[in-house]
Amino acid sequence: MTVLTTEYSVQKLAHLQDATGLFPAFRSNATIFYRRPDTNVFFTAITVFTLQSLRSVVSSATQRVIDQIAEKAQRAYPLFQNKDGLDTYNFWPTRPSRHFPNGYIFRHFEHFRIPDDIDDTAMVYLTQTTVPSPDKLIWLKAKLSQHANGSQRHQIRNTYTDYRHLRAYSTWFGKNMGIDFDACALSNMLYCLYHFDLAPNQHDTDSLTYLRSIVESGRYVAEPFQCAPHYARTSLIIYHLARLMAGFSIVELEPIRSRLIADAERALSRTHNRIEQIVLATSLIRLGEVVPEIDTRGIERDFEGFNFFIAGLLTAYEQPWLRRFANRPLMQMRWQCEAHCWALVAEYSSLAGR
């Protein structure tokens, strides 16, 4: 067995960062033989976030590489800031606006122009080299509340009936976008709010209730797309919850620890893709478990079959007859990013003591 060192993986991904500060990513749909390069802030920000979390345990030389990567990424962030200059961020460039970049069809339809979201906003806030001011953080908290379920005329319709009363945060900041609960996006925003020590409110409490319930009920295993439509895999829900729970002491989530461990161990024994194995092993280590070592030699071969994020072309629709088709592969775009895969390998190597 061989586990690649953390430093090796960091060096590999550093060479992938382009002149703009972004890491290349691709969106694809194998069903229709579709593959396009994609310009987004998401994979750059989550890669930087993962690297910064390793900074304290790597050599001084690797720390300098991580700092250089983060500084270069900062140059790209303004391209994705809210089109009106507000302090929220979009998946795709807003200055100028470019949804489905490098595409031929979807970029011509306004329906596919998405609003700013909590996922990208959380990750940009967490990875900025300058700590956000108290005023900016207070503004963000208020902005989140304005778009939470039940705060405006929109009420969530595309979740389980017993969650529709929860005043949890929506994925989207858009005025005219339907409310959307995504367990992974919620975990990222809650991580951001805990990191900056912002006082909790009902929206935080209800978001935690949602996260705890989807695990306790087993819904996140039976129907991961319904629980996290933009990630849509149990392993990724476990990964985000484990990262949140390892980062902060959250009493509301402690009752699900044993269930997460059992489900992660079961999933680890069944998956053959080694990046998926790494995601689960990293989660188990964060939850306090000892895991078998994963051989990472030649792991690049497993990158192609792994996606960390999806977009359901029908996810935004609230009509039940359309939502029925939203989880089908034909109706989904899947994103791949080599640099982020290397970041996941580096993260695992670090936690495994390599």
Side-chain angles (χ1 to χ4, degrees):
M1 286 286 193
T2 299
V3 177
L4 300 176
T5 65
T6 304
E7 283 76 8
Y8 175 87
S9 298
V10 172
Q11 290 291 343
K12 289 286 287 187
L13 73 85
H15 293 298
L16 296 170
Q17 194 172 23
D18 65 25
T20 70
L22 296 173
F23 288 108
F26 292 85
R27 62 180 186 270
S28 63
N29 184 317
T31 307
I32 57 174
F33 306 102
Y34 177 97
R35 181 175 169 85
R36 298 280 187 276
D38 190 83
T39 305
N40 67 78
V41 76
F42 178 72
F43 280 104
T44 295
I46 62 173
T47 298
V48 172
F49 175 71
T50 303
L51 293 179
Q52 288 177 332
S53 71
L54 312 178
R55 193 181 182 283
S56 63
V57 298
V58 297
S59 67
S60 57
T62 302
Q63 286 180 351
R64 286 193 293 273
V65 174
I66 291 172
D67 292 343
Q68 289 166 2
I69 290 170
E71 288 167 8
K72 288 174 67 177
Q74 303 297 305
R75 303 172 196 166
Y77 287 172
L79 298 173
F80 301 86
Q81 189 174 355
N82 175 268
K83 63 182 179 60
D84 298 320
L86 301 177
D87 289 316
T88 56
Y89 290 82
N90 202 285
F91 185 80
W92 283 312
T94 60
R95 304 179 177 190
S97 179
R98 284 193 297 142
H99 59 291
F100 276 94
N102 305 306
Y104 303 125
I105 299 173
F106 297 118
R107 67 187 180 91
H108 295 293
F109 292 89
E110 282 300 308
H111 168 75
F112 296 111
R113 189 189 300 275
I114 56 177
D116 301 347
D117 63 85
I118 65 173
D119 233 358
D120 292 296
T121 299
M123 285 296 144
V124 169
Y125 271 67
L126 286 164
T127 58
Q128 288 173 333
T129 51
T130 302
V131 177
S133 68
D135 286 346
K136 182 187 282 192
L137 292 170
I138 292 169
W139 177 88
L140 174 64
K141 188 81 174 188
K143 182 72 170 172
L144 287 164
S145 297
Q146 290 168 14
H147 293 275
N149 187 40
S151 296
Q152 295 191 18
R153 63 187 178 86
H154 289 298
Q155 189 81 19
I156 193 165
R157 296 172 58 190
N158 57 8
T159 190
Y160 299 99
T161 304
D162 47 328
Y163 298 153
R164 291 182 184 175
H165 71 285
L166 292 175
R167 300 198 66 191
Y169 295 121
S170 175
T171 302
W172 309 107
F173 287 110
K175 229 182 261 186
N176 300 314
M177 192 78 165
I179 303 296
D180 173 270
F181 291 166
D182 183 290
C184 299
L186 282 171
S187 296
N188 285 338
M189 181 49 76
L190 287 168
Y191 194 107
C192 180
L193 298 176
Y194 276 101
H195 176 79
F196 291 114
D197 199 23
L198 294 173
N201 57 25
Q202 184 184 351
H203 304 303
D204 300 82
T205 301
D206 282 9
S207 296
L208 290 170
T209 297
Y210 176 78
L211 295 177
R212 185 178 66 249
S213 182
I214 62 168
V215 176
E216 288 177 334
S217 65
R219 285 166 167 165
Y220 86 124
V221 174
E223 297 183 289
F225 178 84
Q226 186 70 8
C227 299
H230 309 289
Y231 293 82
R233 287 211 307 284
T234 302
S235 60
L236 296 180
I237 299 174
I238 292 171
Y239 174 82
H240 284 83
L241 284 171
R243 184 166 68 185
L244 177 62
M245 292 168 67
F248 310 96
S249 177
I250 306 174
V251 294
E252 293 92 337
L253 297 182
E254 279 307 309
I256 63 174
R257 182 180 293 271
S258 59
R259 177 66 188 262
L260 288 172
I261 291 170
D263 289 336
E265 289 175 338
R266 189 177 302 108
L268 181 58
S269 69
R270 294 174 178 176
T271 185
H272 299 292
N273 182 284
R274 285 180 294 166
I275 296 296
E276 190 93 8
Q277 290 174 356
I278 278 174
V279 164
L280 290 161
T282 295
S283 303
L284 284 165
I285 294 171
R286 283 191 167 128
L287 292 168
E289 298 300 298
V290 177
V291 297
E293 190 173 281
I294 297 169
D295 189 345
T296 56
R297 289 175 298 179
I299 199 164
E300 301 96 314
R301 295 191 297 270
D302 293 61
F303 290 0
E304 186 74 20
F306 178 82
N307 62 273
F308 194 78
F309 180 82
I310 71 168
L313 301 180
L314 300 179
T315 302
Y317 288 105
E318 295 186 317
Q319 293 86 344
W321 68 274
L322 276 175
R323 290 279 303 181
R324 197 176 302 127
F325 300 98
N327 66 345
R328 300 189 179 183
L330 178 64
M331 297 299 162
Q332 295 175 351
M333 291 290 175
R334 298 177 182 274
W335 268 258
Q336 292 88 29
C337 176
E338 182 182 354
H340 183 241
C341 285
W342 281 117
L344 292 172
V345 175
E347 180 180 52
Y348 165 72
S349 301
S350 173
L351 290 172
R354 299 294 175 141

